Amino acid sequence: MERAQNFKRPEVDLEKISPNVNVYRGKEYYCPWGCAGMLQGLMDPYAMDPGKDGIKKMNVIIGKPIDHVPDDLDPDITLVLGNCAEQYRGLGHFIPGCCPRPLDVSLFVRRIQGSMGILEDEMTFENMRNGLRAYNGHRLWRMRRRLAGKKLEPIENHVTLGMAVKEISAGKKLKNK
């Protein structure tokens, strides 16, 4: 029985997320299904439900070479994403990798944009249980891929249980400043 289907790839256009998100991107090295796709996936929920204050101001430096990056960007709200943008690491929060670990990028985005109400002000048993269910689902997926003889690259994106617990329990610390 044939089950394969061709799916249309989602649009990855970081510039359209919000006028408050300034994107400085490379002309030659800019991976739409790597760093850019991951960031798009993290920002889409904020674009769909921007909340009462809307999407907060944020700068993103991604890819290379970049024609012009202002020197006066606020480093507290500037994300320098991926190995390709490493030369700009002094302008903001640099997250290395090709592609960087989604957890690290998520923590930065949530620090700027807020938690989307996913985690409540107080950590509850239910929040922790739901987060660990998601983590275990990911681990099962990895195990099934390994048993099927498929690759799990890039390995640098692997999230340990300790990292997952840290992320799940960090809700209160990640609320808006």
Side-chain angles (χ1 to χ4, degrees), residues 71-137:
D71 293 332
D72 62 346
L73 296 176
D74 181 350
D76 290 335
I77 60 168
T78 300
L79 172 62
V80 181
L81 188 57
N83 292 347
C84 289
E86 185 172 9
Q87 73 186 75
Y88 302 102
R89 72 182 307 145
L91 297 178
H93 183 81
F94 174 61
I95 301 177
C98 184
C99 120
R101 289 187 329 204
L103 177 64
D104 295 336
V105 181
S106 172
L107 285 170
F108 177 84
V109 168
R110 288 178 50 193
R111 181 174 59 81
I112 300 302
Q113 300 298 333
S115 70
M116 293 285 301
I118 295 167
L119 298 173
E120 305 300 325
D121 286 335
E122 296 179 15
M123 179 48 55
T124 64
F125 174 76
E126 188 67 22
N127 286 346
M128 182 64 80
R129 187 175 71 180
N130 289 340
L132 289 175
R133 279 182 180 156
Y135 174 78
N136 285 331

Side-chain angles (χ1 to χ4, degrees), residues 28-176:
E28 294 175 30
Y29 295 97
Y30 174 80
C31 300
W33 314 119
C35 291
M38 175 180 34
L39 186 61
Q40 180 81 45
L42 290 169
M43 291 299 296
D44 278 350
Y46 293 100
M48 287 188 270
D49 184 12
K52 63 179 178 149
D53 297 328
I55 292 180
K56 293 161 190 66
K57 187 160 178 54
M58 188 170 114
N59 305 306
V60 178
I61 301 172
I62 186 171
K64 70 178 177 184
I66 302 173
D67 286 340
H68 174 71
V69 177
D71 293 332
D72 62 346
L73 296 176
D74 181 350
D76 290 335
I77 60 168
T78 300
L79 172 62
V80 181
L81 188 57
N83 292 347
C84 289
E86 185 172 9
Q87 73 186 75
Y88 302 102
R89 72 182 307 145
L91 297 178
H93 183 81
F94 174 61
I95 301 177
C98 184
C99 120
R101 289 187 329 204
L103 177 64
D104 295 336
V105 181
S106 172
L107 285 170
F108 177 84
V109 168
R110 288 178 50 193
R111 181 174 59 81
I112 300 302
Q113 300 298 333
S115 70
M116 293 285 301
I118 295 167
L119 298 173
E120 305 300 325
D121 286 335
E122 296 179 15
M123 179 48 55
T124 64
F125 174 76
E126 188 67 22
N127 286 346
M128 182 64 80
R129 187 175 71 180
N130 289 340
L132 289 175
R133 279 182 180 156
Y135 174 78
N136 285 331
H138 171 73
R139 297 292 298 163
L140 277 171
W141 174 82
R142 287 181 59 83
M143 184 177 68
R144 286 182 183 136
R145 284 191 61 86
R146 269 205 180 129
L147 291 173
K150 296 179 182 177
K151 290 188 174 187
L152 291 170
E153 296 180 52
I155 196 66
E156 64 192 45
N157 286 340
H158 174 66
V159 176
T160 66
L161 178 60
M163 293 165 69
V165 170
K166 177 182 172 188
E167 162 71 359
I168 294 163
S169 63
K172 194 168 186 178
K173 293 186 282 186
L174 293 174
K175 291 286 183 187
N176 296 336

